[in-house]
Amino acid sequence: GENRVVWVDVLVPQDAAPGTYAGTLQVGGGSGFSAAVPVSLTVWPFALPSTASLHSTFGILWDGPCQENYGGYGGANCNDAQLAALRVQWSAWFLDHRVTLDAVYTGPSSQSGGYDWASWDAIYGPLFDGTAATRLPGARATTIRYSWTRDQAHYAAWAQHFRQKGWFGATYDY
């Protein structure tokens, strides 16, 4: 006796033939309710690019993924490595919807004589170079927020590295 709203996400493959497709969505409830809902989808003769043409950033709390997935940050709940992995996972899902999530948790860790860019790039690089595990081939983040120590040396290291990687045009500081 009540209305309900359901969001259905449909991925149309880039090589799908244009035309009208039909199917049925089976809906059920705990009380034994069941209904068949007819669905019709029209595929037009063009493909959207995997990466949005409009630059965006959808911000989240620094520890938001830990709060949502584990109830909080720290201890046995969620550590730095888990947080970075969750932010990348969430970011890939957003890229599937052509939106950039504020993926970067922090800059690379220090090592003798510099910073550990290799490990940092292994975590975040796929989001920026279009090789992340997304449903849209080649989808990449349109923006990269600076999230590191705010001093001249760190800004310079960030700028140098991001220029070398070809990502500098997407960076910003907020």
Side-chain angles (χ1 to χ4, degrees):
E2 296 178 18
N3 289 327
R4 295 287 184 234
V5 176
V6 178
W7 184 276
V8 178
D9 194 9
V10 177
L11 173 68
V12 177
Q14 289 183 333
D15 60 351
T20 301
Y21 295 81
T24 305
L25 178 65
Q26 192 67 35
V27 180
S31 62
F33 168 81
S34 180
V37 180
V39 177
S40 176
L41 173 71
T42 301
V43 175
W44 295 95
F46 63 87
L48 294 174
S50 293
T51 299
S53 57
L54 179 62
H55 291 224
S56 66
T57 298
F58 188 86
I60 60 174
L61 293 173
W62 74 271
D63 65 343
C66 285
Q67 290 179 24
E68 293 298 321
N69 287 63
Y70 299 109
Y73 176 86
N77 290 331
C78 188
N79 59 34
D80 285 347
Q82 290 168 309
L83 176 57
L86 285 170
R87 289 179 77 100
V88 167
Q89 180 184 13
W90 284 27
S91 294
W93 186 88
F94 270 73
L95 288 178
D96 285 338
H97 298 84
R98 296 177 176 84
V99 175
T100 297
L101 183 70
D102 180 13
V104 176
Y105 164 54
T106 188
S109 59
S110 295
Q111 59 185 23
S112 61
Y115 304 104
D116 185 7
W117 285 110
S119 295
W120 193 91
D121 287 348
I123 295 168
Y124 296 108
L127 297 171
F128 308 141
D129 63 19
T131 60
T134 60
R135 294 171 69 186
L136 299 176
R140 67 179 67 220
T142 59
T143 55
I144 307 164
R145 185 177 62 90
Y146 179 87
S147 182
W148 206 17
T149 306
R150 286 176 160 66
D151 63 27
Q152 185 177 1
H154 285 85
Y155 278 118
W158 182 277
Q160 178 184 10
H161 183 73
F162 277 63
R163 280 189 180 102
Q164 289 172 348
K165 298 298 281 187
W167 304 331
F168 187 74
T171 62
Y172 73 97
D173 187 9
Y174 180 73

